[in-house]
Amino acid sequence: MKRSLVLFCNLFPATILLVLLTITRSTSAQLVSSENRILFQVQKLLEYPQALQGWNNWTNFCYLPPSPSLTIVCTNGHVTELTIIGNNTSSHQILSSRFSIDSLFTVMTKFSNLKALSLVSLGLWGPLPSKINRFWSLEVLNISSNFIYGEIPPSISTLKSLKSLVLADNLFNGTVPDFKKLTFLQELNLGGNKLGPYFPSLLGQNLVSLILRNNSLRSQIPLQFIKFDKLQTLDISSNEIFGKIPSFLFSLRSLQYLNLAANQLSGNLSAKTACGSALTFVDISHNLLVGKLPSCIGSMISKGKLLYSGNCFSTRRLNDQQHPYSFCKKEVALAVKPPEKTKKENESRVKLSLLLGIIGGAVGIAAILVLLTVFIVRKSNQERSYRHRDRSVADKFYAGASPGPNTDTRRVPQTMRLSAVGMPPYCNFTSEEIEDATNNFDSTNLIGEGTQGQLYRGWLRDGAVVLVNCVKIKQKGLPHTINQNLEVLPNLRHRHLMSVLGHCVITHQENPQPTSTVFIVFEHISNVSLRDQLTDWRKRDMLKWPQRMAISIGIARGVQFLHTGVAPGIFGNNLKIENILLDDSLNAKVSRYSIPLPSKNTDQNAPNQIGSTNNAEKEDIYQLGVILLEIITGKQIKSSSEIEELKDELEKGSSEAQSVLRSAVDPCLRGTYAYESMRTAVQITINCLSKAASKRPSIEDVLWNLQYSMQVQESWTSSGNLSTKF
């Protein structure tokens, strides 16, 4: 459902332009034979998608009826519009290893009169070829919801007729090219990638919609936005944007929709802030803003047009969730480090390692790296709360935890602050709503049954797909005990958890004790599990080392939230790779974690699997280590003996020559990782799998090492070392 909504949003503005182009097409056009052949070549290169089925030598492409998945428009015997939409909205299925994105665009650029091209959700993968600038007449380009990676080629800025550019929901990274030459650009949608740290350079005189949500932007809001008089939609949410919000942003003449949520924006909003007459929706939630809401913005609250929770505003209303002023003051001091510092530090580490390698040889490198690792581990207890703030591409959502043993000092305030981004309000469902959602618990909606009851698929009245967990409990002390345990449920909402959307409790009076049924409603993750992604060779090949590191960090963040983001912490979560789900953006989400309910059919009042017992915490760390082991080796683990065998191979590889470690990791990763990055991840994995529970690291240590590994990887990649021979 989420994927479909994003897909619709990506297509809708571009569709307006496509309709205008369609009106002008010639109804008497007969396609020239050369372009006829090109279409058959495209069909073959795209591996015969459903939308292109049924073509033959007698197909008249200029007279095919438009459909939701295929539109071909001809003018004077030439294709001027081509729209192909696949059906990969819920499964991340990519094209095979035989697919070549370079070959596809080589063929398609032969459409010399093409004005509109949309290739959406077709499983395209690979770097976008620079030859895209051969589309001389292109006005609309939409290649959203694919798996295109690497940097956006600068040559795209030479398409001077371009009016709509939609590259959303791919795997693009790096800095956005200079788009100032695109003077006719009306729509730019780069959301759902890993682009950053700076805003793209835009002329903006004709820009109507700018969407940069869910990227890695880490800078201040550009003052050039004041010139964007025609801008109606601005969405820069879920980045790391810091500094004050410019007052002029609210008063842009044409602006209707403004979303600045889930950033690090700070300071006061000027009391003199004026709002434009067109402004109908503002989201400034989950930032570090203080003071009072300006009157023009505050007046939008009663109309439901303003979201502002998760800040430190002194303006408070019923059910208003604001942090104390001290929280924002502390976070601001730690949140605005410039990206150059991290890059320089990482480069210096890499250069130092290379220098030592030249001087000391292979033996010297091994000895120094061992000493460096020991030093870092010891030093981390003092520096972690500061160094966690140096973010990486995969480190979008900061979890600034101090690694002390005390539960209160291990809280993750930033994670708590961003945990519910994009989530609907928590809901106390009625029994009728639960029955409607599951079609009265129809057996066809039953997904499975485990230690914590039955799990059903359901649909809410707004059409959202959910999962409903049904648990029957017999216990003394009801309903007081159950209500006490349910207090934590609204807090189980996090970017890297399968979050709880609401619950319902029904109590039946039965002798000798009452019985209660608890219905817990979870968000539905429409994509596959990490296990599925790693066992399917086509999908596994797409998970290079940077993507696997981002997934590993996400899993660690989810576990950290369970341990330290709620009180009391949740341990004993039975972490398994098949319970790690990947959403449409390949964000990892921990599912099937321990739900804080009383033990079923018992007279005990203690919550099940809840507490701060060291054994349960360390067991979670061991299970996380097993998941990391599968991520690194790409091998499916079915027994404890396999764990020890793979662990021994990695341990041997990390202490010997690079070639030994290379032979132990997944062959799909070759050429995509920095040795020191891999070695750091391997070492923390080995520590997690220690037989002695007391020697296993804390979740903060695991997360810190994974983030350090990613920083080394980014420095290595930015130096031009990443192999393109995937």
Side-chain angles (χ1 to χ4, degrees):
M1 176 62 69
K2 286 183 180 179
R3 183 75 164 181
S4 300
L5 288 173
V6 170
L7 184 59
F8 175 77
C9 292
N10 290 340
L11 286 172
F12 181 72
T15 303
I16 297 174
L17 292 171
L18 295 180
V19 170
L20 294 176
L21 290 170
T22 303
I23 294 173
T24 64
R25 68 177 179 172
S26 171
T27 57
S28 60
Q30 179 65 42
L31 193 63
V32 298
S33 59
S34 61
E35 295 197 2
N36 228 51
R37 291 192 294 272
I38 293 173
L39 285 171
F40 281 111
Q41 286 180 281
V42 170
Q43 181 193 37
K44 181 178 179 181
L45 289 168
L46 291 177
E47 301 178 0
Y48 303 95
Q50 184 65 37
L52 308 187
Q53 295 294 320
W55 289 2
N56 55 52
N57 292 332
W58 294 276
T59 300
N60 190 333
F61 294 107
C62 293
Y63 290 94
L64 289 176
S67 71
S69 58
L70 176 65
T71 299
I72 300 176
V73 176
C74 307
T75 303
N76 298 326
H78 295 279
V79 174
T80 55
E81 175 192 334
L82 178 60
T83 298
I84 308 173
I85 302 175
N87 56 1
N88 298 341
T89 58
S90 62
S91 64
H92 265 301
Q93 184 175 354
I94 65 171
L95 297 179
S96 72
S97 58
R98 298 185 301 275
F99 170 74
S100 169
I101 194 170
D102 187 76
S103 298
L104 176 65
F105 279 92
T106 298
V107 170
M108 299 199 75
T109 52
K110 295 178 182 178
F111 288 123
S112 57
N113 293 73
L114 196 64
K115 292 187 176 182
L117 175 62
S118 295
L119 303 173
V120 179
S121 192
L122 291 169
L124 308 182
W125 62 272
L128 188 62
S130 59
K131 64 184 66 175
I132 197 167
N133 64 347
R134 297 178 187 175
F135 289 115
W136 315 113
S137 305
L138 204 63
E139 297 179 9
V140 175
L141 176 62
N142 185 349
I143 51 174
S144 59
S145 302
N146 286 293
F147 302 87
I148 304 173
Y149 53 79
E151 295 189 351
I152 300 173
S155 60
I156 204 169
S157 63
T158 63
L159 301 175
K160 296 184 179 180
S161 299
L162 207 59
K163 297 179 180 178
S164 174
L165 178 60
V166 182
L167 308 180
D169 300 307
N170 279 285
L171 301 171
F172 287 111
N173 57 29
T175 303
V176 180
D178 189 336
F179 284 156
K180 287 183 179 178
K181 294 181 180 179
L182 302 179
T183 55
F184 295 102
L185 194 64
Q186 298 177 21
E187 178 194 12
L188 179 62
N189 186 347
L190 306 179
N193 286 286
K194 298 180 182 298
L195 297 165
Y198 306 109
F199 279 86
S201 296
L202 298 164
L203 193 60
Q205 61 186 26
N206 292 308
L207 202 62
V208 174
S209 176
L210 177 59
I211 299 177
L212 304 172
R213 58 167 179 77
N214 197 19
N215 273 288
S216 299
L217 300 177
R218 183 146 63 97
S219 58
Q220 299 187 41
I221 296 176
L223 297 180
Q224 70 185 79
F225 282 6
I226 197 172
K227 301 177 181 178
F228 292 6
D229 289 337
K230 296 182 180 179
L231 192 65
Q232 297 178 12
T233 298
L234 176 61
D235 187 347
I236 55 175
S237 60
S238 298
N239 282 283
E240 302 171 24
I241 302 165
F242 58 86
K244 290 190 174 183
I245 302 176
S247 297
F248 69 76
L249 208 57
F250 299 98
S251 58
L252 289 177
R253 185 172 60 187
S254 304
L255 193 64
Q256 300 174 13
Y257 178 95
L258 176 62
N259 192 341
L260 309 177
N263 282 291
Q264 298 173 350
L265 297 165
S266 59
N268 294 280
L269 297 178
S270 172
K272 298 180 180 179
T273 298
C275 296
S277 58
L279 193 62
T280 58
F281 179 83
V282 174
D283 189 349
I284 53 175
S285 62
H286 302 291
N287 281 286
L288 302 171
L289 300 169
V290 299
K292 294 183 178 181
L293 287 170
S295 58
C296 84
I297 298 176
S299 63
M300 303 174 71
I301 298 176
S302 59
K303 303 175 184 178
K305 298 179 180 179
L306 172 68
L307 300 178
Y308 69 108
S309 64
N311 286 285
C312 299
F313 284 120
S314 58
T315 304
R316 296 187 179 277
R317 295 173 178 243
L318 187 63
N319 298 323
D320 181 16
Q321 299 178 355
Q322 298 293 326
H323 296 291
Y325 173 80
S326 58
F327 172 86
C328 289
K329 183 179 180 181
K330 178 181 178 182
E331 293 294 322
V332 168
L334 300 167
V336 293
K337 292 188 177 181
E340 290 81 5
K341 183 176 180 180
T342 301
K343 183 175 181 179
K344 289 179 180 178
E345 288 177 349
N346 290 336
E347 288 177 350
S348 65
R349 291 191 190 104
V350 174
K351 290 179 181 178
L352 178 60
S353 298
L354 292 175
L355 180 61
L356 292 173
I358 295 173
I359 296 174
V363 175
I365 288 177
I368 290 171
L369 288 177
V370 169
L371 292 174
L372 182 61
T373 302
V374 172
F375 174 79
I376 290 173
V377 170
R378 291 179 178 176
K379 192 75 173 176
S380 65
N381 286 343
Q382 301 172 8
E383 299 181 343
R384 186 175 300 113
S385 61
Y386 298 96
R387 299 182 69 176
H388 276 178
R389 275 78 178 179
D390 294 330
R391 304 194 174 192
S392 64
V393 168
D395 189 19
K396 291 185 179 180
F397 287 85
Y398 166 73
S402 300
N406 185 281
T407 301
D408 290 335
T409 63
R410 291 177 61 190
R411 294 293 127 215
V412 274
Q414 189 83 349
T415 305
M416 292 285 285
R417 181 170 67 85
L418 298 178
S419 62
V421 170
M423 288 281 135
Y426 191 85
C427 182
N428 290 309
F429 292 97
T430 64
S431 59
E432 291 79 10
E433 288 175 316
I434 297 295
E435 290 174 357
D436 287 346
T438 59
N439 194 18
N440 203 22
F441 303 100
D442 191 300
S443 59
T444 59
N445 293 328
L446 180 63
I447 295 177
E449 187 169 4
T451 57
Q452 292 202 344
Q454 297 173 315
L455 191 64
Y456 288 85
R457 181 183 290 105
W459 290 263
L460 300 182
R461 291 171 181 174
D462 63 0
V465 185
V466 295
L467 296 178
V468 181
N469 188 195
C470 308
V471 186
K472 292 184 179 180
I473 301 173
K474 290 183 179 180
Q475 182 182 348
K476 289 182 179 180
L478 291 173
H480 171 74
T481 304
I482 284 185
N483 290 335
Q484 186 177 15
N485 284 277
L486 293 179
E487 289 178 357
V488 74
L489 289 184
N491 297 324
L492 295 179
R493 319 183 102 202
H494 188 267
R495 175 178 171 82
H496 296 295
L497 289 183
M498 188 172 77
S499 298
V500 179
L501 302 181
H503 75 277
C504 172
V505 180
I506 300 175
T507 301
H508 308 280
Q509 295 296 329
E510 297 181 2
N511 292 324
Q513 56 189 5
T515 299
S516 285
T517 302
V518 180
F519 303 98
I520 304 174
V521 180
F522 292 92
E523 66 172 327
H524 179 262
I525 312 301
S526 60
N527 201 24
V528 298
S529 70
L530 180 55
R531 164 63 59 80
D532 295 333
Q533 195 82 18
L534 288 175
T535 52
D536 186 314
W537 68 268
R538 292 174 299 180
K539 297 176 182 178
R540 185 179 72 178
D541 192 54
M542 286 303 300
L543 289 184
K544 302 304 180 183
W545 185 238
Q547 286 78 37
R548 297 195 194 191
M549 281 304 305
I551 290 171
S552 300
I553 290 171
I555 299 169
R557 288 198 181 286
V559 176
Q560 183 197 35
F561 181 82
L562 291 171
H563 286 191
T564 66
V566 293
I570 300 177
F571 306 96
N573 290 291
N574 193 27
L575 302 172
K576 297 179 181 179
I577 195 167
E578 55 265 32
N579 292 339
I580 305 300
L581 305 181
L582 301 177
D583 67 11
D584 294 320
S585 299
L586 291 181
N587 291 314
K589 289 181 177 281
V590 180
S591 70
R592 304 292 180 95
Y593 50 87
S594 183
I595 298 298
L597 293 175
S599 300
K600 295 167 57 179
N601 302 320
T602 70
D603 292 336
Q604 299 176 1
N605 289 327
N608 185 29
Q609 302 279 16
I610 299 298
S612 57
T613 59
N614 192 56
N615 287 341
E617 180 178 1
K618 295 302 183 181
E619 183 62 24
D620 279 352
I621 298 299
Y622 182 86
Q623 293 166 356
L624 176 58
V626 174
I627 294 173
L628 294 175
L629 192 61
E630 293 197 48
I631 290 175
I632 292 171
T633 64
K635 296 179 180 179
Q636 186 173 348
I637 297 175
K638 299 180 180 179
S639 65
S640 56
S641 60
E642 290 179 324
I643 296 174
E644 291 302 314
E645 290 174 6
L646 292 175
K647 174 189 171 186
D648 291 343
E649 287 182 25
L650 290 180
E651 197 163 14
K652 181 180 179 181
S654 65
S655 60
E656 297 186 12
Q658 293 188 25
S659 59
V660 180
L661 180 60
R662 189 182 303 116
S663 64
V665 304
D666 189 345
C668 294
L669 299 178
R670 291 175 185 172
T672 71
Y673 64 85
Y675 171 71
E676 179 62 17
S677 171
M678 176 63 74
R679 189 176 178 279
T680 301
V682 165
Q683 190 58 57
I684 194 62
T685 300
I686 293 171
N687 293 344
C688 289
L689 296 173
S690 175
K691 291 183 178 180
S694 60
K695 294 183 179 180
R696 296 171 194 161
S698 67
I699 188 60
E700 290 84 8
D701 286 326
V702 176
L703 184 56
W704 187 89
N705 278 274
L706 292 177
Q707 290 179 159
Y708 174 75
S709 174
M710 178 58 101
Q711 289 176 355
V712 173
Q713 176 68 28
E714 287 175 349
S715 178
W716 181 80
T717 302
S718 65
S719 300
N721 294 299
L722 185 63
S723 171
T724 58
K725 297 180 180 180
F726 287 178

